[in-house]
Amino acid sequence: MNEIKQRGQWGSTFGFLMASIGSAIGLGNLWGFPYKMGSTGGFAFLVVYLILVVTVGIALMMGEFALGRKTGTGVGAYAKLGEKYKVLGWMAAFCPFLILSFYAVLAGMTLRYCVGFLVQIFGMDGFAGQGSGFFGFLLYDTKSMVLFLALAMLITMAIVMGGVQGGIEKFSKVAMPALGVILIGIIIFVAFQPGAIEGYKFMFKPDFSQFSDFNSFFNVLKVASGQMFFSLSLAMGINITFGSYLSKEKSIQRNAVIVPFSDTLFALFAGMMIMPACAAFGVDYGAGPGLLFASMQNVFIDGMGGMAGNVVGFLFYFLVFIAAITSSIALLEVLTSGIVDKRIAKGKDPSRKKISLIFAVCIFVVGLPAAMDALGSGGAAIPAPYELLGLTPDSPGFAMWNDCWLDLYDMITEGVLMPLGALFMSLLLGWKFPNLVKEECEESGNAFKGAGYFKFAFRFLIPLVMILVLYTQIQAFFL
Ligand code: TRP
């Protein structure tokens, strides 16, 4: 059997696109994008984000697809380029670990809301008598937070162990479009709420006040760039793996545009649902990581109300949970298969189940602080990083990296490791292997468009942006 047959390949471009878009779309779009936009001034964030996706995101995704298809492996691709680049693979692989430990906390919360609305459909109280104020209650309900984190991790692990991904993938082919439809439905509903218009203004009305001084501009740049890495699943080896399964006739460039485009569309939908909802129901745009939950609870309970609110709320959280689980599975799978492949190469027993269990337990433990610090609201079961540092939310040193454990993990991954990974990758592709991407994209007679631009991007633009991002990160850290 030849190598291609053994590893498998995408049956069609459609299958490839669904898998990559499915992995890209998740809580990053629905939860991360709106809250990051909300805490960095709306319009300013949106503009910087869109510019970053077009100038940096597409090039990096293309580079990863090309690297994967060229080398025929996932994170191992770096080692194939040269033994000394191995560390880049390790760096890329650490990200899924830390991301999953807070991703599962959030997935658990969506499950909690989903169950809450389901119970309400049957006439019982699903939100502990708190209604639209449930979020503030849930944060301090440490037992529930831990229980639902454990459930999310268990479900993820069971799927990775049992290898029922096939079924989940088929299911998510229906669930993802359904999520799109329900998002549009909620967008329309929210649009008719009094005061909603302010939310659109927040997003779309030109306001350059964030750009008037360097610090706030750098802050927007840093947050938007991190969000882009997270949302497009860049710098984690995932797209390298996807690329390795792409057949030589398929156009890398086309796919590297379609995936970021679809992902950004979903993020925009989420923003257009949540920002107007905040405006209409008086939720602070800058509420932080809880924004999705806090704002949507108002929409379903106060806005729609009654049975309609319960049914739509249930459907919404159910679909968000599915989107989250498909991403969690991918995250745990990268870790598990990374070790399993190594063991097989050494002639050892793969022990797939044992390895995914070990990872799941470690991730659960690392996720505990993120589940127990009430997202930094203060005085919770576990102190938030800023509390450990003896700061208060009004102290000068209080920042997005220390306001809660979740944001700290987020900063380490999308704020530091991913820009660092992207910096090295683009330097490699720009200077060391300058023809790799071009040649790989030109396979089977495909034309390589924008050669001049991509050369410039890999050599100068991406490294420069990454250095700026890392610089602002260091600056915030030693403030
Ligand atoms: N991009 C996903 C989201 O927006 C999250 C994510 C990050 C992810 N890295 C990943 C998903 C790796 C699958 C695989 O939610």
Side-chain angles (χ1 to χ4, degrees):
M1 221 198 288
N2 65 25
E3 202 194 339
I4 290 178
K5 280 222 179 91
Q6 262 177 23
R7 291 194 78 231
Q9 263 191 2
W10 305 102
S12 62
T13 307
F14 182 73
F16 169 78
L17 280 174
M18 282 300 122
S20 354
I21 294 173
S23 131
I25 295 175
L27 292 171
N29 310 61
L30 301 160
W31 154 85
F33 184 85
Y35 106 75
K36 291 185 176 165
M37 180 161 64
S39 52
T40 50
F43 179 80
F45 173 91
L46 183 60
V47 171
V48 174
Y49 185 82
L50 293 178
I51 293 176
L52 279 176
V53 170
V54 173
T55 56
V56 174
I58 291 175
L60 284 174
M61 185 160 285
M62 190 179 90
E64 294 194 5
F65 284 162
L67 202 55
R69 194 167 75 178
K70 174 89 185 173
T71 56
T73 55
V75 261
Y78 291 110
K80 280 210 176 172
L81 290 181
E83 196 55 20
K84 56 178 183 270
Y85 305 125
K86 222 172 161 173
V87 54
L88 292 176
W90 281 104
M91 216 162 76
F94 179 68
C95 291
F97 181 90
L98 205 55
I99 287 182
L100 187 51
S101 68
F102 70 80
Y103 209 82
V105 174
L106 295 159
M109 288 169 77
T110 61
L111 183 61
R112 171 64 187 86
Y113 277 89
C114 178
V115 170
F117 281 113
L118 181 64
V119 168
Q120 303 243 106
I121 292 176
F122 294 101
M124 288 170 282
D125 174 17
F127 298 109
Q130 307 288 319
S132 54
F134 179 66
F135 184 69
F137 174 86
L138 176 62
L139 286 184
Y140 288 92
D141 183 0
T142 309
K143 276 198 201 106
S144 294
M145 290 294 290
V146 172
L147 173 72
F148 280 90
L149 162 64
L151 278 176
M153 224 35 247
L154 260 178
I155 294 171
T156 304
M157 187 186 74
I159 295 171
V160 170
M161 275 184 176
V164 293
Q165 271 108 320
I168 289 282
E169 262 159 40
K170 283 202 192 94
F171 181 59
S172 73
K173 275 185 199 160
V174 182
M176 299 309 273
L179 179 63
V181 171
I182 201 164
L183 281 178
I184 294 175
I186 299 174
I187 289 173
I188 296 173
F189 176 82
V190 171
F192 287 103
Q193 301 303 304
I197 183 96
E198 290 305 317
Y200 303 115
K201 285 193 193 151
F202 179 69
M203 272 178 85
F204 299 117
K205 188 167 167 235
D207 167 9
F208 297 97
S209 56
Q210 298 277 341
F211 301 149
S212 57
D213 72 289
F214 272 123
N215 279 345
S216 67
F217 168 70
F218 279 152
N219 187 47
V220 175
L221 176 72
K222 176 179 76 181
V223 177
S225 119
Q227 173 59 24
M228 177 194 72
F229 281 109
F230 189 90
S231 193
L232 296 180
S233 321
L234 290 171
M236 277 174 265
I238 306 284
N239 297 298
I240 300 183
T241 312
F242 279 160
S244 73
Y245 293 111
L246 193 62
S247 69
K248 294 277 186 194
E249 306 87 62
K250 303 284 174 359
S251 161
I252 287 183
Q253 282 198 306
R254 252 195 69 198
N255 291 314
V257 171
I258 298 177
V259 176
F261 178 82
S262 323
D263 186 74
T264 304
L265 197 65
F266 262 74
L268 280 172
F269 280 175
M272 288 165 65
M273 166 177 86
I274 290 174
M275 298 301 146
C278 288
F281 295 101
V283 176
D284 176 12
Y285 297 127
L291 189 69
L292 165 77
F293 302 101
S295 63
M296 293 317 285
Q297 198 69 352
N298 282 299
V299 171
F300 300 133
I301 292 191
D302 301 335
M304 297 181 181
M307 196 42 105
N310 291 337
V311 172
V312 179
F314 166 72
L315 275 175
F316 174 77
Y317 279 113
F318 178 68
L319 294 170
V320 175
F321 181 64
I322 298 300
I325 283 296
T326 53
S327 294
S328 317
I329 297 166
L331 289 162
L332 184 58
E333 176 65 33
V334 213
L335 297 168
T336 306
S337 64
I339 304 285
V340 167
D341 289 352
K342 269 197 176 335
R343 292 179 61 94
I344 291 175
K346 281 190 197 149
K348 289 190 200 157
D349 181 52
S351 319
R352 188 181 177 80
K353 289 199 169 146
K354 202 167 91 193
I355 287 161
S356 55
L357 174 71
I358 294 172
F359 272 123
V361 172
C362 296
I363 290 166
F364 170 77
V365 172
V366 176
L368 281 175
M372 296 169 77
D373 74 345
L375 294 180
S377 302
I382 281 190
Y386 73 89
E387 292 172 298
L388 289 178
L389 295 169
L391 303 171
T392 67
D394 303 315
S395 323
F398 183 81
M400 211 160 167
W401 72 265
N402 61 28
D403 69 349
C404 60
W405 286 98
L406 190 154
D407 275 337
L408 177 64
Y409 294 172
D410 206 28
M411 186 276 286
I412 297 173
T413 51
E414 62 174 56
V416 177
L417 292 174
M418 297 181 194
L420 207 56
L423 171 66
F424 287 120
M425 186 178 102
S426 83
L427 289 175
L428 279 180
L429 295 178
W431 299 95
K432 201 89 193 152
F433 305 95
N435 298 319
L436 189 153
V437 174
K438 183 169 183 289
E439 280 169 14
E440 195 55 40
C441 289
E442 281 174 341
E443 284 279 349
S444 310
N446 281 308
F448 185 63
K449 299 194 192 85
Y453 172 72
F454 286 112
K455 192 168 164 185
F456 164 73
F458 286 127
R459 290 193 163 189
F460 304 106
L461 181 69
I462 301 177
L464 178 74
V465 176
M466 296 307 120
I467 288 170
L468 279 180
V469 167
L470 290 164
Y471 167 75
T472 53
Q473 213 55 266
I474 292 167
Q475 202 196 23
F477 202 77
F478 294 107
L479 200 74

